[in-house]
Amino acid sequence: MEEQFSENSYGFRPCRGAHDALKQCQTNVNDGYVYVVDMDLEKFFDTVCQSKLVEVLSRTIKDGRVVSFIHKYLNVGVISRGIFEKTEVGMMPQGGPLSLLPSNIMLNELDKELTSRGHRFVRYADDCMIFCKSRKSAERTLKNITPFIEGKLFLRVNRDKTCVSHISKVKYLGYSFYRYKGKCRFRVHPKSIAKMKNKIRELTKRSNGWENEYCALKLTQFIRGWVNYFGMADMKVLLSKTDEWLRHKIRAIYWKQWKKVKTKFKELKKLGVEEEKA
């Protein structure tokens, strides 16, 4: 199946990732495609038509036993919150170890359709953006592609979240876009910043009951991963302000742990604070 997948598909494929998808977005914007159809498929993993997926698989897999086995696997059901649920519709819960490959197989049909129509697009799993040069062109594209998605693939387009926007107004894979001196650049989207701060608050809660060393380890792991993922964004000021905010939180943790006045006095002196100031 991998051989059949589009060059514009980046999600959960060998030697491809979110950064590659973002670079392709950047290339499209630099080429003048500054309006996008930000496509949102409603409850994609829960509503995939299994018979359509089996039909697509059957075009490549000629051994009926293998196709039958896959169909049985999709139908086996799941245990959610301790309760067994049938999976007659949809694949399996999002995040399941095999839900990602069938999603790429199914949405490869959309990729082929967009390619045949000559559209520029970037898709990461079920997160798809179609690039156009004008708002009218983007609105026309949305109007024309929706019947294919709903009529041929039997998926639902979330009309509340699917929209036509200028590239500066969209959020994609946690990033936002802006243009500087005619070139497309990246920022961390405000929602991603808020999510990051909420995670740090969660990791530094006193109610966790963690030792300081373990808390420091968890913080370091999260921050390193976050900075690596958002490394393509311009965020020098953001990191500086976040560092200041985080250091304040860490100082507050120690200050509360010291409790008694004499403990605070002693610990401050250990840290090299002058006796009068302490």
Side-chain angles (χ1 to χ4, degrees):
M1 299 305 300
E2 174 64 27
E3 293 176 2
Q4 299 179 27
F5 291 159
S6 168
E7 284 296 308
N8 296 304
S9 167
Y10 294 90
F12 313 106
R13 293 182 58 193
C15 305
R16 285 168 168 255
H19 287 181
D20 299 307
L22 289 160
K23 285 173 186 172
Q24 185 57 50
C25 291
Q26 191 176 44
T27 299
N28 291 340
V29 174
N30 287 338
D31 289 344
Y33 294 80
V34 294
Y35 285 92
V36 295
V37 178
D38 190 3
M39 186 70 67
D40 185 88
L41 300 176
E42 190 172 342
K43 295 182 180 176
F44 171 74
F45 286 89
D46 299 330
T47 59
V48 168
C49 178
Q50 290 184 7
S51 57
K52 179 64 181 179
L53 177 61
V54 169
E55 179 209 317
V56 173
L57 284 167
S58 300
R59 294 176 204 160
T60 299
I61 302 170
K62 299 307 177 186
D63 189 334
R65 294 170 301 170
V66 176
V67 175
S68 175
F69 176 74
I70 294 168
H71 199 187
K72 285 175 182 176
Y73 178 78
L74 296 173
N75 254 319
V76 77
V78 295
I79 293 177
S80 176
R81 297 177 184 175
I83 300 170
F84 177 79
E85 294 177 5
K86 289 185 177 181
T87 50
E88 294 171 350
V89 179
M91 293 178 201
M92 53 201 80
Q94 187 171 359
L98 288 183
S99 62
L100 305 169
L101 177 58
S103 73
N104 272 339
I105 292 169
M106 189 71 166
L107 289 173
N108 191 46
E109 299 299 297
L110 174 60
D111 297 346
K112 288 192 283 189
E113 183 67 18
L114 290 170
T115 301
S116 70
R117 296 186 186 193
H119 292 303
R120 287 206 185 195
F121 67 96
V122 173
R123 184 175 65 78
Y124 191 92
D126 61 325
D127 207 346
C128 181
M129 288 214 301
I130 307 168
F131 291 79
C132 302
K133 287 195 170 182
S134 69
R135 181 176 289 275
K136 279 189 177 179
S137 173
E139 288 170 350
R140 189 165 58 247
T141 298
L142 174 58
K143 184 180 177 182
N144 292 338
I145 201 65
T146 299
F148 173 82
I149 294 170
E150 296 186 332
K152 301 285 187 180
L153 300 183
F154 308 109
L155 298 169
R156 289 203 300 267
V157 174
N158 188 331
R159 284 167 171 75
D160 293 331
K161 293 184 178 179
T162 298
C163 62
V164 170
S165 301
H166 189 271
I167 190 65
S168 61
K169 306 290 183 186
V170 300
K171 171 180 178 275
Y172 193 63
L173 301 178
Y175 282 75
S176 60
F177 305 83
Y178 75 102
R179 298 181 82 188
Y180 180 71
K181 294 184 177 178
K183 296 293 182 183
C184 178
R185 298 182 70 88
F186 302 109
R187 285 195 182 106
V188 183
H189 194 275
K191 286 184 180 178
S192 300
I193 296 171
K195 195 174 177 183
M196 173 264 290
K197 288 193 169 185
N198 286 337
K199 180 65 176 178
I200 288 176
R201 287 187 186 102
E202 192 180 310
L203 291 173
T204 54
K205 277 196 301 191
R206 292 174 69 205
S207 58
N208 289 335
W210 295 343
E211 293 288 335
N212 290 342
E213 292 76 13
Y214 183 71
C215 180
L217 174 65
K218 298 296 284 184
L219 268 175
T220 302
Q221 289 172 342
F222 170 70
I223 291 165
R224 185 177 290 135
W226 193 90
V227 170
N228 284 342
Y229 180 76
F230 287 103
M232 293 171 65
D234 298 330
M235 54 177 179
K236 185 177 178 181
V237 174
L238 170 64
L239 287 183
S240 177
K241 287 183 176 178
T242 305
D243 183 64
E244 187 179 318
W245 172 76
L246 178 56
R247 285 172 183 273
H248 177 80
K249 285 191 74 63
I250 293 169
R251 284 195 295 271
I253 290 169
Y254 281 97
W255 192 252
K256 285 172 182 174
Q257 284 175 351
W258 291 341
K259 291 182 182 176
K260 294 181 181 179
V261 174
K262 64 179 182 182
T263 308
K264 292 177 179 178
F265 175 68
K266 184 176 73 177
E267 294 294 340
L268 284 173
K269 282 185 68 179
K270 271 189 196 175
L271 292 169
V273 178
E274 294 174 14
E275 186 169 336
E276 190 65 34
K277 195 171 181 182

